[in-house]
Amino acid sequence: MTSPHRILTLLAAGTLALGLSACASTGSAQRAETESPTPAGTAEADAACTGSEGVTLTVDSSALKGGSSETWCIIGTGSVTISNALNFVGVSIEGTKQYGDQVVCRVNGLPSASEPVGSAQDPAYIEKCDAMPAAFAYWALWTKPAGGAWDYAQEGLSTLTAQPGESVELLFTLDGAPAAPAA
């Protein structure tokens, strides 16, 4: 016959094992949710994706002197974190001192850290990347769902993800133009 003390010990050990098992699986699920997906496929330069073959990524600094517009199709079947996608295609990002990469200040060195941005509103304005950029000269992060319309991103670069068929654009707006990405 088993003593009541032995039964309680076995029950406690079983409960502890069950609790540890639940913690381990919850920890794994939390790790999976916080991982930043990196593009697993390839990137085609100068090409938007067609259909749902991947995520279209555009960086448009054409409003700035020396700027340009570049587009890549990041081919793959899973979601990607936009900061990882930008790294994947070789785009460098500088955030602000106050907000880090949650507020984009410079992309591939633009706007210049030593020359005025070219604004008619403030011809002498030079972006220092201390806090929020000026309302007349800033990088905006836009998202477009598959078959949808462009809208401001609701997250920053480090947490924003995109699925195949979606588009993301970093667009520099100077004196209100361009107001949004091209269709």
Side-chain angles (χ1 to χ4, degrees):
M1 184 159 153
T2 308
S3 73
H5 179 66
R6 173 90 172 133
I7 292 174
L8 287 175
T9 302
L10 290 172
L11 281 173
T15 303
L16 178 62
L18 216 78
L20 290 174
S21 164
C23 288
S25 64
T26 300
S28 298
Q30 287 174 342
R31 278 193 303 277
E33 290 173 13
T34 59
E35 288 176 1
S36 297
T38 300
T42 61
E44 291 182 14
D46 300 323
C49 297
T50 56
S52 61
E53 70 179 327
V55 173
T56 298
L57 177 64
T58 301
V59 174
D60 187 347
S61 60
S62 58
L64 291 165
K65 180 181 176 183
S68 63
S69 181
E70 297 179 84
T71 299
W72 300 267
C73 177
I74 301 173
I75 299 169
T77 58
S79 69
V80 294
T81 301
I82 301 309
S83 60
N84 289 342
L86 289 163
N87 287 334
F88 187 71
V89 297
V91 172
S92 66
I93 302 292
E94 182 180 340
T96 64
K97 290 176 185 153
Q98 185 175 2
Y99 299 105
D101 70 356
Q102 293 306 302
V103 174
V104 176
C105 179
R106 266 185 251 298
V107 177
N108 290 336
L110 293 174
S112 171
S114 59
E115 296 178 20
V117 296
S119 169
Q121 291 186 30
D122 185 351
Y125 180 76
I126 298 173
E127 181 56 64
K128 299 295 182 193
C129 298
D130 288 329
M132 292 299 287
F136 56 82
Y138 63 94
W139 282 100
L141 182 58
W142 293 83
T143 60
K144 181 179 176 185
W150 286 107
D151 196 8
Y152 278 110
Q154 301 301 307
E155 298 180 49
L157 286 175
S158 62
T159 58
L160 181 64
T161 60
Q163 299 289 331
E166 297 178 341
S167 299
V168 176
E169 183 164 334
L170 262 173
L171 175 68
F172 194 86
T173 298
L174 182 61
D175 295 331

